[in-house]
Amino acid sequence: MSAAPLYKPAPRDPARSFQDMILTLHDFWSAEAGCVILQPYDMRMGAGTFHTATTLRALGPEPWNAAFVQPCRRPTDGRYGENPNRLQHYYQYQVILKPSPSDIQELYLKSLGAIGIDPLAHDIRFVEDDWESPTLGAWGLGWEVWCDGMEVTQFTYFQQMGGFDCKPVAGELTYGLERLAMYIQGVDNVYDLAFNASGVSYGDVFLENERQMSKWNFEVADTDALFDLFAKAEAECRNALSAGVPIAAYEQAVEASHVFNLLQARGVISVQERASYMGRVRDLARSSCEAYAQKMTPEWSAKYPEWSLV
Amino acid sequence: MADFLLELRCEEIPARMQPKAKEDLARLFADALAKAGLPVGEIETFATPRRLALIAKNLPLATEPVSEETKGPKVGAPPQALDGFLRKVGLSEEQLVERDGVYFAVIEKPGRDTAAVLAEAIPAIIRAFPWPKSMRWGAASLSTESLRWVRPLSGIIALLDGAVVPCEIDGIASGRTTMGHRFHHSGPVTIADAGSYIETLRAAHVVVHFSERCALIRDGAAKVAAEAGLTLVADEGLVIENAGLTEWPVPLLGRFDEAFLDVPPEVIQLTARVNQKYFVCKSSPSGEGDRDPKGRGGEADAARPSTILSDGPPPRAGEDSLANAFVCTANIDAIDPAVVVDGNRKVLAARLSDARFFWEQDQKTSLAEHAKKLSRITFHEKLGTVADKVERVAKLARWLCEDGIVTDSPFPPGEGPGMGGATPRPPHTHPQPLPSREGATLADLAEQAARLCKADLVTEMVGEFPELQGLMGGYYAAKEGLPVEVSDAIRDHYKPVGQGDEVPTAPVTVAVSLADKLDTLLSFFAIDEKPTGSKDPFALRRAALGIIQLIQVNSLRLRLSGVPLRWFAFFDHLMAQDLAARLRLQIRVTIFGKPHPHDERKLFFGLSPAAFLESYEDTIFIAQHGHIEGSVLDFFADRLKVQQREAGVRHDLIDAVFALGGEDDLVRLLARVHALQAFVTTEDGTNLLAGYKRAANILKKENYPVTPAKAGASGGNAQLPEVPAFAGMTEQIDGIEQTGEEDPLAMVDDPDIGDIVAESTQTASALSYTPEPAEKALIDALDAAAPRAAQAVEGERFADAMAALATLRAPIDRFFEEVTVNAEEAEKRQARLALLARFRDAVHRVADFSRIEG
């Protein structure tokens, strides 16, 4: 009986491969902080923070360490593939550590080292940048992390989520993956990034997508259908809330939020209407978070008698 | 004696909070010492991004023992009294001390170790620390009761005379170890004592002195600029900010693509400063570059960005212009500084290319086209859109010019009317065209500028950098080739934005700036959004101050009481129908909500309110205007008092003129105040004031009525429901005039009024007895001085009015010396009281001397 040859993965090369940079971050956070490595949330969303692994898991007393890539869609940032820095679809790398460990900054800096940033060669700075999302009823204090003057990461200690105090506080790291990769690979155009070490570029993967999606976002998307989608998502969110399934409700809030962004990109929402739509999205998101926290409270209280929701 | 070191180490403290945190730490620490009875000596504080520290020198090692003595009852007092006292002080009878027949409780408090005092004080200081924003963190934050700090607190050093002062807060125990520079030093740093703190940290690549880091940045940035043959644009705010972002600051110079210099220098500077915290440089050699018209460099301006150029768009070319260079401040001695510089250059390039994109994009559309989008921006939900506002401002600006309030050649300060000179009222200069613009009158230009002045609010550039509002509009107008008066006015119409800011003097700019501020003020007063206490969300105080400054500096003869009527006409005409209707309704409620019984009759003319509203729309109109006007004028009066007080004018003198009421011409009012100030400080003035007060006291005792006198030369101040300003003289006017004349300004320039004023002061009745010489002298002096003073007031020759009053000083002194007012004969007594009243009223017509102190 001959044993099958053992598979030994090739060493990661984050300086020459976008995907290796991501895989290195997975390796790092899995090993150093015991993170669960999740896959992206399978819905269109504007930021990694919308992932339930961040928002909903920031609520409650249970420890939670997770890391994942989340594709983000910002329709108004589309530039038809013509701008070297702006994309309507890009990646964020999210790490959420609850409660925030006392060495979280050191862990983060070590992760930068893992993907090839030497802090004596590059000027790393923590510059005040507090975060607030009225939509999620959330805020936190933290920094934007600069590397030679470029913002490469948002670093936030969540203080509130869904209108509730975070007990305990979670630390959230959001790496801008394309920016970091451009920095590490030394390229000036995002489409020139090496996606892997085998000659496939970021442009090979995404350039045509940017062209078509920018056109669709700005010019094509049927606005009547979008208004309809918004209304349906809103209604479905309410339906799910009244049925006591707040996670499903939260998904519909995320959907409504993205449809609103699309309507914005189509330029069919006036200044006055804008505030009203934002208020509606906020109401959905907060109601969902609230309902989730309330639904989970008996379970949480049972495990953590000293903990209370408010 | 010992030195004490406290270091509170945490994750990066926001740069902007560090200077205040140093002060707070010193204050809280000094308070804690004082409370414990320890002398507060020299305290020095330090702040870096990662630590807040304090060194207190020469602390005693223990507090002094204190003997506290409490007085008790007398010896032999009832036992209940003694028992009560013993319970209170917690002693037994034997422990009391007897002195002079009285019991005393003496409690000796031994001295405490300073270390013990500090061990208690440190956690208290940490808990009480007033960070502008603080947070919870870590496992302990399972409870909201956990410790709060600006960012997670990670270590405490507390060393008294080199020994650890043991204390603990939320699991963090004090010790003697800290951390050095985040990247240049690894492992803990051990501090021996307070004296070695600074140098030990320096060895670990931390410059702990905030001011030393500031100096390193200030000098270092200037040096790298000079080495490149450039001059750094000094910016103390940036120095402080970068000092708050670094423990080991290293200024580095980089270059950006010269092509970006097409973008206005203010935009480049702001992009570099706000987004990246970089300094910019000028290409001129050292020393040449400091010709900043806005007066940079003073300590008071330290936190504000200096403005690089310029006297106006377009930017001046030549050696004084912005260079394609920036200075960033790294926090490391980089292995290869060029790598750091190159990274920063790329970021700045991306920012600048955004800025250039905005700059070019904005110019593809004319300002007039941009302005159309203002109809989509709400100014205030009750006041319509910004486009509505612009329309009102344009009409107001035109009116200000056409009515000759703003003219082509404003009087230089101190020389205009109301300053005691004989200068006549300026002629109406419209429609005389400006020399520089064929055919366009001042009013045309003012209206044009006003219509475009807010257009830049919808440009991409101002969307990105709101602080460039006005300035960008000025640039775009100049690029479009609009008249320079118009582009200047667009650029400067927000000025002055506070005490000390430059006040516009160019006529078109003055008209637009004044119209804009008047509209803002009147709009918010109309919807009853007035500032209250410390709340002034719409910056109306600043608007009023701006109006006052514009009027003063340009000697504008603006009757403030006339403005609301004009404004309201524009407003009413321009507002969308339903909005106007709603606003009218609200003002009706404000006015008629609690009608004064007396005024109700006047206002409603016997009709039901509803019927009245229907049939007398025009009259209502005046009523509305009257309501706004009253409160606006009061508001101006308050602002003026504050402003003049700050300018060193005695507040009692301002009060003395304000108390006369009815004055709505600020130039004239201030001329009177200033003349009064000059007069009351003379010997004549002081003595006349004494005479006035004596006369007024006598009259007051006798309940002698006061004749009202108003400062204004007109009855224009139609405040409702108050009686019109000239009610005292013109009794026939009953509330709202019923003559069909609806313009309360109708009497503004009525020359008869002046004569009535003058005459009413000299109606001396014939005496039935022979007056004493001193009495006669006062009568004669009054006969001469009262009309002279009154006429001088009419002619706005206030110094002359004071001089006329000065002639009364000797006669009034003599009168009081020689004449008995309280004569036995009732007739004499009445006549003399009347004489004193005449004297008092004559003086009062110039100013209300009863308000003057001294």
Side-chain angles (χ1 to χ4, degrees):
Chain A
M1 262 183 50
S2 63
L6 276 178
Y7 172 69
K8 264 189 83 180
R12 313 280 192 214
D13 190 358
R16 269 188 286 274
S17 156
F18 185 63
Q19 69 192 33
D20 275 17
M21 187 180 85
I22 293 172
L23 294 169
T24 304
L25 288 172
H26 280 340
D27 292 343
F28 179 88
W29 287 108
S30 169
E32 297 292 323
C35 286
V36 294
I37 303 299
L38 296 171
Q39 300 308 314
Y41 208 80
D42 57 341
M43 287 186 72
R44 301 177 293 183
M45 50 183 64
T49 305
F50 279 92
H51 197 304
T52 53
T54 300
T55 44
L56 298 186
R57 291 287 184 161
L59 293 162
E62 297 173 302
W64 174 251
N65 291 348
F68 53 91
V69 173
Q70 181 60 45
C72 301
R73 293 186 182 228
R74 305 234 171 132
T76 47
D77 281 354
R79 294 291 184 274
Y80 297 83
E82 286 162 13
N83 184 300
N85 297 302
R86 284 193 192 276
L87 303 161
Q88 56 84 41
H89 171 285
Y90 60 95
Y91 289 128
Q92 285 182 348
Y93 193 92
Q94 277 251 312
V95 181
I96 178 116
L97 303 172
K98 184 177 96 173
S100 62
S102 59
D103 60 346
I104 185 168
Q105 280 188 309
E106 284 67 33
L107 280 172
Y108 166 72
L109 291 168
K110 212 169 147 191
S111 78
L112 287 188
I115 55 174
I117 294 181
D118 175 355
L120 286 177
H122 297 285
D123 184 30
I124 308 292
R125 229 85 72 68
F126 291 84
V127 181
E128 177 190 17
D129 188 28
D130 301 338
W131 172 81
E132 187 182 16
S133 167
T135 303
L136 295 171
W139 68 275
L141 300 189
W143 310 274
E144 51 183 48
V145 183
W146 283 12
C147 175
D148 295 340
M150 181 172 64
E151 181 193 343
V152 292
T153 303
Q154 280 282 336
F155 192 137
T156 307
Y157 289 101
F158 285 155
Q159 300 294 301
Q160 274 204 336
M161 180 62 77
F164 298 104
D165 282 332
C166 293
K167 299 193 288 187
V169 165
E172 182 212 39
L173 305 170
T174 304
Y175 301 69
L177 287 178
E178 284 84 354
R179 283 180 173 204
L180 265 174
M182 285 168 73
Y183 207 85
I184 295 165
Q185 295 188 23
V187 302
D188 285 347
N189 188 323
V190 65
Y191 299 108
D192 293 340
L193 281 176
F195 205 99
N196 67 4
S198 313
V200 179
S201 74
Y202 194 92
D204 293 336
V205 181
F206 280 119
L207 182 57
E208 185 56 24
N209 183 68
E210 280 298 310
R211 289 180 184 139
Q212 293 193 21
M213 291 309 295
S214 294
K215 182 165 174 146
W216 184 76
N217 292 338
F218 287 125
E219 305 167 41
V220 178
D222 184 310
T223 55
D224 287 344
L226 290 175
F227 279 119
D228 194 41
L229 273 177
F230 185 92
K232 290 201 162 120
E234 191 177 30
E236 193 52 36
C237 180
R238 304 272 175 224
N239 178 39
L241 280 174
S242 58
V245 281
I247 294 177
Y250 178 78
E251 283 200 347
Q252 294 305 314
V254 171
E255 175 71 7
S257 168
H258 180 67
V259 173
F260 165 71
N261 288 341
L262 284 170
L263 284 165
Q264 280 270 90
R266 294 287 282 114
V268 290
I269 293 186
S270 73
V271 180
Q272 282 83 358
E273 283 175 312
R274 190 163 174 263
S276 144
Y277 271 95
M278 287 171 73
R280 284 159 75 182
V281 173
R282 179 177 320 163
D283 197 38
L284 299 179
R286 293 185 72 156
S287 304
S288 305
C289 287
E290 241 166 71
Y292 174 76
Q294 252 133 21
K295 188 180 176 73
M296 298 302 291
T297 290
E299 193 182 321
W300 290 337
S301 300
K303 284 192 208 161
Y304 293 83
E306 74 278 26
W307 178 89
S308 67
L309 182 58
V310 288
Chain B
M1 290 296 182
D3 294 348
F4 173 66
L5 166 70
L6 176 66
E7 184 198 70
L8 305 171
R9 186 167 55 84
C10 66
E11 298 176 11
E12 277 77 354
I13 305 169
R16 67 185 168 96
M17 297 178 188
Q18 291 169 29
K20 167 93 179 357
K22 281 174 59 187
E23 288 171 26
D24 288 334
L25 181 61
R27 181 177 47 80
L28 290 172
F29 186 77
D31 287 353
L33 289 190
K35 208 173 135 202
L38 282 165
V40 180
E42 188 190 330
I43 293 179
E44 194 173 14
T45 54
F46 312 88
T48 80
R50 300 177 72 199
R51 66 204 83 222
L52 187 57
L54 168 148
I55 290 178
K57 296 231 166 106
N58 300 322
L59 291 183
L61 288 171
T63 63
E64 295 286 330
V66 185
S67 161
E68 275 177 12
E69 200 175 76
T70 314
K71 191 177 170 184
K74 281 182 188 162
V75 177
Q80 298 94 317
L82 185 60
D83 285 351
F85 180 67
L86 290 173
R87 265 200 308 277
K88 188 179 127 199
V89 298
L91 298 177
S92 63
E93 193 175 341
E94 305 82 66
Q95 290 171 297
L96 296 184
V97 178
E98 191 197 321
R99 202 161 67 228
D100 301 330
V102 178
Y103 284 120
F104 285 89
V106 180
I107 297 166
E108 298 290 344
K109 285 194 175 168
R112 287 184 71 201
D113 283 346
T114 300
V117 170
L118 292 171
E120 242 175 59
I122 294 164
I125 289 171
I126 291 172
R127 291 197 193 281
F129 209 86
W131 292 108
K133 276 185 189 172
S134 63
M135 56 168 278
R136 299 173 297 116
W137 66 91
S141 62
L142 192 63
S143 156
T144 47
E145 303 304 306
S146 67
L147 182 64
R148 292 177 163 272
W149 197 245
V150 61
R151 292 292 184 276
L153 184 69
S154 34
I156 301 171
I157 290 181
L159 296 177
L160 182 64
D161 208 11
V164 172
V165 174
C167 61
E168 190 181 318
I169 184 163
D170 263 36
I172 304 162
S174 61
R176 61 169 71 248
T177 56
T178 183
M179 303 297 278
H181 187 280
R182 204 185 256 295
F183 307 118
H184 278 303
H185 191 275
S186 56
V189 176
T190 303
I191 306 294
D193 54 22
S196 60
Y197 177 65
I198 294 167
E199 291 313 315
T200 307
L201 274 179
R202 191 188 302 282
H205 269 75
V206 174
V207 178
V208 79
H209 261 298
F210 196 89
S211 55
E212 189 184 341
R213 291 198 309 282
C214 283
L216 284 170
I217 294 164
R218 194 184 299 116
D219 302 345
K223 185 161 162 274
V224 293
E227 282 166 2
L230 306 171
T231 303
L232 188 81
V233 175
D235 188 333
E236 199 53 25
L238 266 185
V239 168
I240 292 169
E241 191 165 9
N242 277 297
L245 284 166
T246 49
E247 293 202 310
W248 192 258
V250 180
L252 299 169
L253 181 125
R255 295 278 186 172
F256 56 82
D257 188 343
E258 222 163 356
F260 288 123
L261 291 175
D262 295 345
V263 179
E266 292 89 345
V267 173
I268 294 178
Q269 188 185 18
L270 212 55
T271 302
R273 168 184 224 278
V274 174
N275 293 322
Q276 298 301 135
K277 310 183 198 308
Y278 300 157
F279 296 88
V280 290
C281 301
K282 282 187 284 187
S283 27
S284 61
S286 212
E288 282 292 298
D290 281 335
R291 285 188 282 118
D292 184 342
K294 282 151 198 102
R296 136 169 49 91
E299 281 303 305
D301 281 345
R304 286 198 292 165
S306 59
T307 312
I308 329 163
L309 299 170
S310 70
D311 293 326
R316 293 194 303 258
E319 57 174 29
D320 217 18
S321 57
L322 207 62
N324 64 325
F326 66 93
V327 176
C328 59
T329 310
N331 189 32
I332 50 168
D333 270 326
I335 296 167
D336 179 1
V339 171
V340 174
V341 169
D342 196 53
N344 280 285
R345 178 194 59 76
K346 274 190 202 169
V347 184
L348 183 60
R351 297 275 192 190
L352 288 177
S353 69
D354 278 348
R356 184 167 57 187
F357 175 75
F358 297 150
W359 168 243
E360 286 164 0
Q361 201 66 15
D362 287 343
Q363 289 179 59
K364 288 182 181 159
T365 310
S366 69
L367 279 181
E369 275 303 307
H370 281 302
K372 288 181 183 163
K373 287 176 237 156
L374 296 174
S375 62
R376 300 210 304 244
I377 302 179
T378 306
F379 173 59
H380 182 282
E381 56 167 332
K382 289 181 186 164
L383 295 168
T385 67
V386 176
D388 293 330
K389 177 182 173 59
V390 163
E391 197 62 32
R392 296 193 301 270
V393 172
K395 290 225 154 70
L396 265 178
R398 171 169 279 282
W399 170 70
L400 287 169
C401 297
E402 289 188 338
D403 240 40
I405 293 159
V406 177
T407 66
D408 285 345
S409 49
F411 292 94
E415 287 179 26
M419 295 298 174
T423 325
R425 196 178 166 79
H428 290 200
T429 48
H430 80 98
Q432 183 190 348
L434 291 189
S436 62
R437 295 295 143 197
E438 219 169 299
T441 63
L442 179 60
D444 293 339
L445 291 173
E447 183 178 342
Q448 185 186 11
R451 287 193 187 286
L452 301 176
C453 70
K454 303 294 180 193
D456 67 357
L457 293 180
V458 295
T459 61
E460 302 267 0
M461 190 71 87
V462 175
E464 185 72 11
F465 297 115
E467 54 270 69
L468 292 180
Q469 63 180 12
L471 185 79
M472 290 320 299
Y475 271 116
Y476 294 140
K479 282 268 178 186
E480 263 184 55
L482 298 179
V484 63
E485 293 91 336
V486 171
S487 59
D488 283 358
I490 294 171
R491 182 191 61 203
D492 293 334
H493 82 279
Y494 291 102
K495 290 174 184 243
V497 288
Q499 197 77 278
D501 190 27
E502 190 188 338
V503 179
T505 52
V508 178
T509 311
V510 170
V512 179
S513 174
L514 190 58
D516 185 30
K517 291 170 180 58
L518 284 169
D519 176 71
T520 299
L521 194 65
L522 292 167
S523 297
F524 287 104
F525 269 71
I527 58 167
D528 214 22
E529 285 280 2
K530 298 168 206 168
T532 49
S534 60
K535 289 206 185 82
D536 183 11
F538 304 107
L540 301 187
R541 292 193 179 111
R542 197 171 73 189
L545 181 64
I547 292 167
I548 290 169
Q549 287 174 294
L550 283 163
I551 288 174
Q552 266 179 292
V553 167
N554 296 291
S555 295
L556 303 181
R557 305 311 303 268
L558 175 64
R559 305 299 311 274
L560 284 171
S561 62
V563 180
L565 182 63
R566 286 285 170 187
W567 174 82
F568 209 88
F570 300 147
F571 192 97
D572 205 43
H573 177 67
L574 292 166
M575 292 298 287
Q577 282 304 309
D578 63 323
L579 209 55
R582 257 191 293 148
L583 187 77
R584 252 205 305 276
L585 190 68
Q586 179 171 349
I587 294 174
R588 275 175 198 157
V589 171
T590 319
I591 295 177
F592 299 120
K594 287 178 199 162
H596 190 276
H598 187 57
D599 295 316
E600 196 172 20
R601 178 182 55 81
K602 289 180 197 161
L603 289 171
F604 291 100
F605 300 106
L607 294 170
S608 75
F612 177 79
L613 289 177
E614 232 172 54
S615 1
Y616 290 88
E617 204 64 51
D618 287 345
T619 321
I620 285 293
F621 191 76
I622 293 175
Q624 292 161 353
H625 134 72
H627 169 77
I628 299 169
E629 176 196 297
S631 49
V632 169
L633 287 182
D634 289 348
F635 187 63
F636 271 117
D638 287 346
R639 288 300 99 203
L640 188 71
K641 279 186 204 171
V642 171
Q643 184 226 22
Q644 288 293 305
R645 214 169 293 170
E646 282 165 9
V649 175
R650 274 170 52 182
H651 67 92
D652 56 325
L653 302 182
I654 300 173
D655 283 343
V657 174
F658 266 118
L660 299 177
E663 178 60 284
D664 65 346
D665 178 330
L666 296 182
V667 172
R668 185 169 59 202
L669 186 141
L670 286 175
R672 190 189 291 232
V673 170
H674 295 149
L676 186 62
Q677 174 136 335
F679 177 57
V680 295
T681 47
T682 63
E683 201 202 334
D684 278 346
T686 317
N687 285 303
L688 186 79
L689 178 60
Y692 171 90
K693 294 214 159 163
R694 197 164 162 191
N697 280 338
I698 292 169
L699 291 166
K700 198 175 160 199
K701 235 187 267 170
E702 300 292 333
N703 286 323
Y704 210 88
V706 178
T707 312
K710 291 282 177 175
S714 81
N717 187 19
Q719 292 184 37
L720 290 179
E722 286 178 21
V723 285
F726 263 67
M729 247 66 67
T730 53
E731 312 261 18
Q732 70 274 21
I733 298 175
D734 177 23
I736 292 173
E737 288 175 64
Q738 296 171 39
T739 58
E741 174 57 77
E742 288 156 5
D743 184 356
L745 294 188
M747 292 171 71
V748 167
D749 294 318
D750 188 343
D752 293 342
I753 296 290
D755 292 343
I756 293 170
V757 173
E759 275 167 28
S760 73
T761 60
Q762 46 177 327
T763 48
S765 50
L767 293 175
S768 60
Y769 61 92
T770 308
E772 289 175 34
E775 195 176 1
K776 178 74 170 64
L778 181 58
I779 293 168
D780 291 345
L782 266 172
D783 284 347
R788 218 182 106 198
Q791 277 157 13
V793 166
E794 281 306 302
E796 304 183 7
R797 290 171 282 107
F798 298 111
D800 290 354
M802 302 302 161
L805 292 188
T807 64
L808 296 175
R809 177 244 163 142
I812 191 71
D813 285 355
R814 191 174 153 210
F815 178 83
F816 280 127
E817 244 167 62
E818 297 177 14
V819 181
T820 311
V821 177
N822 208 359
E824 279 176 23
E825 302 93 321
E827 210 174 308
K828 275 191 188 172
R829 196 165 152 268
Q830 276 311 316
R832 284 169 187 171
L833 284 174
L835 181 61
L836 283 183
R838 262 192 76 205
F839 164 74
R840 179 196 59 187
D841 295 346
V843 173
H844 199 94
R845 196 159 299 286
V846 177
D848 183 348
F849 274 60
S850 69
R851 307 277 179 142
I852 302 175
E853 290 164 7

